Amino acid sequence: MFKDHPKGLPILFFTEMWERVSFYGMRALLVLFLTAETVAENPGFGWTNAEALGLYGWYTMMVYLMGIPGGIVADKFLGQKKSVLIGGLLIAAGQLTLILDNVNTFYAGLGLIICGVGLLKPNISTMVGQLYKPGDNRRDTGFMIFYIGINVGATIAPIVAGILGEGINFKYGFAFAGFGMLFGQAIYLWGHKYLKGIGEFVKKAKEETKTAAQPLTKIEKDRIVVIVLACILIIFFWAAYEQAGGLLNLYTSDKINRSVFGWEIPASVFQFVPAAFVVIMGMFVSNYWNKRRKAGKETSSLFKMAIGMMITGSGFIMMVGASLEAVDGQKAMLIWLISSYFLQVIGELSLSPVSLSFVTKLAPARYGSIMMGVLFASTGVGNKLAGLIGQFAQTAGELEIFIGIFVYSLVLGLLVILFLKKLKALTHGAEEVTEA
């Protein structure tokens, strides 16, 4: 998989993989822990579904929103390499703080995780982009490989954290996530020898500082406009996709038949399904787009993102089927949920890793980490919107919400395709590639 790619790629792959073990372990347990009864054998906080989804939305928004200050800190003071290290240590500290039996320390733990992800997430993605020279046609595939690393971690986390957290004690699930992050940082430190010149902070001379503060050129402004428009698409994509950790997590717990061969699988464990599909299907989707490119067909990032948006939305048609079946106390078949996740992931693979690569192509070099932070902040806004949609579903009904998500995903994708030619013109050839 790493053949013909820079040696630093597997280091960043495994570092990000373990950060995602931490994040997705937390993601699988958060709403279930908050809504668990306080007097149970494995107690939670006893919150209502709406209250839990509200905090889930704020937490996942802030995790990504902090990518903007995290990018600024890296660009102006630390460099990406040090920012990733400090961020990882903050995440580990936050996860281990969650095991304390106190609401205030729980909030403190969430705060540490938020700050840590803000430093780590945008900067490690920027470092992946720095591994490739401008025009290198391996860049999109490199980001797809990196993205598979994200989802290897996201596959492991819900299974282990879910079984430990739901099955034994939530504290064990949180602790697993924390120690996973520490292991990832150990890999990162060991692999620094393969990251020479990548993510380093170089103090700028006065002349360079003046150059960096120069106004944006017309081409740079146009490209930033396209990045902003892509970020709007990203917001609505994650508003749909992140129902997995909130509304779909609760829906799986309450209205999906989770019994397989006589064993009722914990709801949190199903959080591994989308990530597993990413790992399985990642290179297939990447190869499809590569073959299409070689055939001379449309493969621009914006086109991929539009198609991905529509396919993701189609996954919610499966949940419409589940809602029509789950009436009068009857539970829906598991295949509806699995099919929904499969379609969402096929869409994700055409959109999310492509957006990471897209920003590294279009962002002015002096604002690389900041613009990556803007992208992740958009992800955060999408996560908050996902939480609000989940809360609204508690009164509006899941069926109506699933239909609504499908409709807006289809409309947005079609709008991008309709204006594709004009949008591509604003990139000023940033996506022109050369063979490696």
Side-chain angles (χ1 to χ4, degrees):
M1 181 166 61
F2 298 110
K3 186 181 179 182
D4 300 326
H5 284 273
K7 291 183 178 178
L9 183 60
I11 301 304
L12 299 178
F13 174 102
F14 286 108
T15 303
E16 178 70 350
M17 184 192 85
W18 282 103
E19 186 273 330
R20 293 289 90 179
V21 167
S22 168
F23 179 81
Y24 280 93
M26 175 67 181
R27 178 178 178 268
L29 294 175
L30 182 57
V31 295
L32 298 175
F33 169 73
L34 293 173
T35 56
E37 294 181 10
T38 57
V39 295
E41 184 178 336
N42 185 15
F45 283 172
W47 291 11
T48 66
N49 286 358
E51 289 170 335
L53 288 167
L55 180 62
Y56 175 82
W58 280 111
Y59 164 70
T60 51
M61 180 183 76
M62 293 305 300
V63 158
Y64 290 108
L65 199 63
M66 286 298 290
I68 293 179
I72 293 172
V73 167
D75 281 346
K76 303 295 184 183
F77 304 105
L78 295 177
Q80 291 86 23
K81 189 176 289 183
K82 288 183 180 178
S83 297
V84 169
L85 177 63
I86 294 171
L89 295 176
L90 286 174
I91 293 168
Q95 293 284 8
L96 295 174
T97 301
L98 297 179
I99 67 177
L100 303 174
D101 280 324
N102 187 287
V103 174
N104 292 327
T105 56
F106 190 83
Y107 284 136
L110 293 182
L112 288 170
I113 295 170
I114 287 167
C115 293
V117 176
L119 278 173
L120 186 148
K121 190 70 176 164
N123 293 308
I124 197 169
S125 298
T126 301
M127 290 173 71
V128 174
Q130 291 176 9
L131 294 172
Y132 300 92
K133 294 179 180 179
D136 192 330
N137 73 321
R138 300 174 299 169
R139 183 186 295 258
D140 278 6
T141 303
F143 269 100
M144 180 64 77
I145 293 170
F146 177 70
Y147 202 74
I148 289 172
I150 291 174
N151 285 277
V152 170
T155 303
I156 295 169
I159 297 173
V160 180
I163 291 172
L164 289 174
E166 268 197 283
I168 304 175
N169 193 291
F170 285 110
K171 293 181 182 179
Y172 295 155
F174 296 140
F176 163 74
F179 285 115
M181 187 68 255
L182 289 175
F183 186 69
Q185 291 305 97
I187 293 174
Y188 181 64
L189 285 171
W190 175 84
H192 270 197
K193 57 188 174 184
Y194 300 112
L195 296 169
K196 290 181 180 178
I198 303 297
E200 305 287 358
F201 175 71
V202 179
K203 189 173 182 180
K204 296 179 176 65
K206 288 185 178 179
E207 293 78 12
E208 293 177 297
T209 302
K210 289 178 182 178
T211 301
Q214 286 180 347
L216 293 168
T217 66
K218 171 68 165 58
I219 289 176
E220 288 174 332
K221 287 179 180 178
D222 285 348
R223 288 175 174 173
I224 287 177
V225 167
V226 180
I227 291 175
V228 170
L229 292 174
C231 286
I232 294 172
L233 194 67
I234 289 294
I235 288 172
F236 285 97
F237 166 76
W238 288 111
Y241 193 85
E242 278 302 314
Q243 296 305 319
L247 177 60
L248 289 183
N249 205 2
L250 292 170
Y251 193 91
T252 302
S253 179
D254 297 337
K255 298 183 179 180
I256 294 290
N257 183 355
R258 295 178 280 112
S259 181
V260 178
F261 300 118
W263 176 45
E264 187 169 71
I265 303 172
S268 58
V269 172
F270 285 98
Q271 294 294 297
F272 94 94
V273 174
F277 279 142
V278 170
V279 175
I280 295 167
M281 299 301 299
M283 294 313 297
F284 287 103
V285 174
S286 180
N287 289 337
Y288 166 77
W289 288 114
N290 282 333
K291 287 180 181 178
R292 187 178 169 90
R293 174 178 60 82
K294 291 176 181 178
K297 297 179 180 180
E298 180 64 60
T299 57
S300 65
S301 295
L302 289 166
F303 180 76
K304 292 178 186 177
M305 292 166 71
I307 295 298
M309 189 76 203
M310 291 189 287
I311 296 174
T312 296
S314 70
F316 285 87
I317 291 295
M318 300 297 106
M319 294 311 300
V320 169
S323 296
L324 293 174
E325 184 178 347
V327 294
D328 300 326
Q330 183 178 342
K331 293 194 174 184
M333 293 186 295
L334 185 58
I335 190 63
W336 291 116
L337 180 71
I338 302 300
S339 299
S340 177
Y341 281 149
F342 178 79
L343 288 169
Q344 289 180 54
V345 163
I346 297 300
E348 175 192 9
L349 287 168
S350 292
L351 188 149
S352 188
V354 171
S355 69
L356 297 175
S357 178
F358 189 58
V359 169
T360 66
K361 293 173 188 174
L362 268 68
R366 60 192 184 277
Y367 298 122
S369 288
I370 294 173
M371 292 311 299
M372 189 62 76
V374 171
L375 177 69
F376 283 113
S378 302
T379 301
V381 174
N383 275 262
K384 177 56 181 172
L385 183 56
L388 291 173
I389 291 172
Q391 285 180 281
F392 185 58
Q394 304 305 303
T395 53
E398 293 99 345
L399 175 62
E400 290 76 9
I401 293 299
F402 295 148
I403 293 173
I405 291 173
F406 165 70
V407 170
Y408 85 61
S409 299
L410 181 66
V411 170
L412 285 173
L414 289 173
L415 282 173
V416 172
I417 291 175
L418 180 64
F419 294 101
L420 184 62
K421 188 175 180 179
K422 292 183 179 180
L423 292 171
K424 285 174 65 177
L426 293 175
T427 69
H428 295 279
E431 291 203 274
E432 292 178 5
V433 299
T434 57
E435 296 300 323

